[in-house]
Amino acid sequence: MSDRSDDARLPGQTLLKLARRLCSERAYERIATPIVADLQSEWKDAIRAGRRARALWVRLAGPLRFWQAMALHAARPGGSAPAELLSGAAALRTLLVATLAPCAVLTLLIWLAGRPWSLPVEGPPLAALARLAALGLPPIVLVTLPMGVLWGTWWAGQRLRTDAASSTIVALALLVGIMALPLSLWLVPRSNQAWRQAAFGLVTGSSGTVPPGDREMTFSELDHALDARSPGLPDARSDGLRVERHKRLAIPVACLPIALLGLACSRSSLLRSLPWLILLSPLVVMAYYKLQGAGEAAAELGHVSAGLAIWLPNLLVGGVAAALWVGSPAREPQSG
Amino acid sequence: MGRAQGPWPKLPSRKEALILELLADGRDRYGLELVAASGGRLKRGTVYVTLDRMEEKGYVQSRLDASAGTPGLPRRLYRPTAQGRRLLDALSLARQSLVGAVAR
């Protein structure tokens, strides 16, 4: 007989409680409890042997295996997961791969094109060069994100059986955008500034501080800089700061209209093929950035407001996506 | 579910056949033992799903480990059923015939 207080200390109790609520009686008995029993036995063995790191690993990895098994059980033929969810789950896997792969490839290509190893200095220390090269990565990752999302949603959309599962794809693209926000608001400007400082030190040998430009300010620093300027007085510097502030938000948010465009293209009988994806996706992303660049220049000259200039490409992409979606036939669920 | 189509019985999957082979020595085993014995061919996250499917098909049967006296849940032990053993014999025979036919 097991002691209740001892049982309460064992890992997996919460998993069991959740499984009791969520699963069928059979899944609870045949999937959930055997996995938790294994988890507890492994944990007890590790504790008995004084292997604390192993015990911690068992605690961390056990729940992952538990949910993997529960998902597989639900997804089996005749399982409790609805077909829509399964169709969405397959598409999500594709989306992740198809988003990350072009991001990684593009990041590497752009990074190599910048030739981070060729600084105009004699015999620079390798560690300093490596640091410089690493600091150059975050802005490139951010810039390649829309391309990755377009590829991912376009590709994943082709694997959807019905339109209903599209919402899971959009939700994931939105999540990618939300996760990119800290990158855009904080990490990229910090990394830009650190890169400038490191390059300055490497080239001049000086340890002086390089003042940050607009692109090297975090979102809150941009806010403070704008607050410090005379309110209501239009000037080019304030416009530049406003443009930069809108850009920080616009690129992560662009994941949403770009995801909608990718899904709409995948639904169109004309555009859904791979050659179109290869041909059109760089054009779409380049057009997006060109338009944003043109808007930025116009806003800094005071011709249009900074908000309109920076958000217009997002609105246009969203509009094209909506038009394509409406103009393409709905996916028919396949019988059998 | 799992109904044979036509005159041929539905064959077990590769994982199911592997589990039957690992259980063929007559000793009851739990999931992690099977994973360890499989040399990486079975995964921890999937083994119980496969075992559950095999139990539904009647290839294996399970019981809780009554000998466990320590705190925590008792482990579930698996053994092949008579049908599972017959299936494994048939698979071995089929494999031998196939190898013989190809080698001829």
Side-chain angles (χ1 to χ4, degrees):
Chain A
M1 275 290 150
S2 59
D3 180 46
R4 284 182 74 85
S5 61
D6 279 345
D7 275 5
R9 280 181 55 240
L10 292 169
Q13 301 295 337
T14 314
L15 293 178
L16 277 183
K17 279 181 199 160
L18 279 171
R20 174 73 84 185
R21 283 173 182 235
L22 297 173
C23 308
S24 64
E25 188 64 28
R26 183 179 177 87
Y28 179 80
E29 274 181 18
R30 304 300 163 107
I31 313 284
T33 52
I35 292 175
V36 173
D38 280 346
L39 166 68
Q40 293 180 343
S41 298
E42 276 196 297
W43 183 80
K44 281 186 290 185
D45 291 345
I47 291 291
R48 241 179 261 134
R51 298 171 65 193
R52 297 212 160 267
R54 168 79 187 153
L56 181 66
W57 171 246
V58 169
R59 257 191 193 277
L60 293 175
L64 294 179
R65 290 184 198 123
F66 177 87
W67 290 117
Q68 184 189 1
M70 298 314 289
L72 276 173
H73 178 76
R76 80 197 194 288
S80 56
E84 281 307 320
L85 183 64
L86 296 184
S87 166
L92 285 181
R93 275 198 304 274
T94 313
L95 175 65
L96 274 179
V97 174
T99 301
L100 294 179
C103 270
V105 171
L106 272 177
T107 298
L108 186 68
L109 287 178
I110 296 174
W111 184 74
L112 289 174
R115 306 199 328 161
W117 56 87
S118 61
L119 277 173
V121 282
E122 288 297 318
L126 202 61
L129 269 185
R131 180 166 178 267
L132 210 56
L135 287 170
L137 278 175
I140 303 176
V141 170
L142 183 66
V143 167
T144 60
L145 204 60
M147 182 71 159
V149 169
L150 184 60
W151 266 75
T153 48
W154 197 323
W155 204 306
Q158 290 183 24
R159 278 142 184 85
L160 291 182
R161 286 181 227 135
T162 64
D163 283 334
S166 304
S167 55
T168 48
I169 303 282
V170 174
L172 195 80
L174 196 60
L175 190 67
V176 170
I178 291 169
M179 283 163 65
L181 272 174
L183 190 72
S184 174
L185 299 181
W186 188 81
L187 186 66
V188 167
R190 278 279 176 270
S191 131
N192 281 347
Q193 176 61 13
W195 191 93
R196 270 162 53 121
Q197 190 67 52
F200 177 75
L202 209 56
V203 173
T204 64
S206 154
S207 59
T209 306
V210 183
D214 294 352
R215 291 186 178 193
E216 286 74 40
M217 287 189 197
T218 62
F219 193 75
S220 57
E221 286 167 351
L222 284 168
D223 256 355
H224 290 142
L226 266 171
D227 287 345
R229 302 190 74 77
S230 307
L233 287 177
D235 64 309
R237 169 85 178 121
S238 296
D239 286 338
L241 288 169
R242 278 191 204 100
V243 162
E244 202 54 45
R245 196 174 58 161
H246 281 293
K247 257 170 69 181
R248 298 294 162 79
L249 293 169
I251 292 180
V253 172
C255 288
L256 184 61
I258 283 177
L260 293 174
L261 182 66
L263 276 174
C265 288
S266 75
R267 198 177 181 236
S268 154
S269 49
L270 174 67
L271 298 174
R272 59 178 300 156
S273 63
L274 186 64
W276 277 112
L277 171 61
I278 294 170
L279 185 73
L280 280 186
S281 57
L283 293 179
V284 168
V285 175
M286 274 166 58
Y288 175 85
Y289 282 122
K290 284 279 176 204
L291 202 58
Q292 201 177 60
E296 191 177 338
E300 282 174 354
L301 289 171
H303 294 326
V304 284
S305 78
L308 179 67
I310 298 302
W311 288 94
L312 188 64
N314 285 9
L315 293 175
L316 279 177
V317 171
V320 171
L324 267 175
W325 186 271
V326 171
S328 58
R331 290 184 180 91
E332 293 293 337
Q334 290 163 358
S335 56
Chain B
M1 255 193 293
R3 236 182 331 177
Q5 297 198 343
W8 294 95
K10 196 171 178 184
L11 290 173
S13 71
R14 199 179 291 181
K15 276 185 185 174
E16 290 171 352
L18 174 63
I19 287 175
L20 283 175
E21 278 173 27
L22 293 172
L23 291 172
D25 62 1
R27 199 163 65 83
D28 292 5
R29 290 177 188 253
Y30 54 88
L32 271 192
E33 267 185 307
L34 292 168
V35 171
S38 72
R41 285 178 289 169
L42 293 174
K43 304 288 177 205
R44 287 157 171 255
T46 57
V47 67
Y48 284 109
V49 181
T50 311
L51 283 165
D52 177 51
R53 194 172 57 214
M54 290 174 74
E55 202 168 357
E56 269 185 339
K57 290 178 182 173
Y59 298 162
V60 295
Q61 60 190 39
S62 69
R63 65 177 172 88
L64 289 176
D65 185 5
S67 64
T70 52
L73 291 170
R75 284 178 143 162
R76 187 167 281 276
L77 296 165
Y78 294 85
R79 67 163 61 176
T81 58
Q83 188 193 344
R85 286 183 203 283
R86 281 200 303 275
L87 187 69
L88 185 63
D89 291 344
L91 280 175
S92 304
L93 265 176
R95 196 178 295 157
Q96 281 169 13
S97 314
L98 191 66
V99 169
V102 171
R104 216 176 288 147

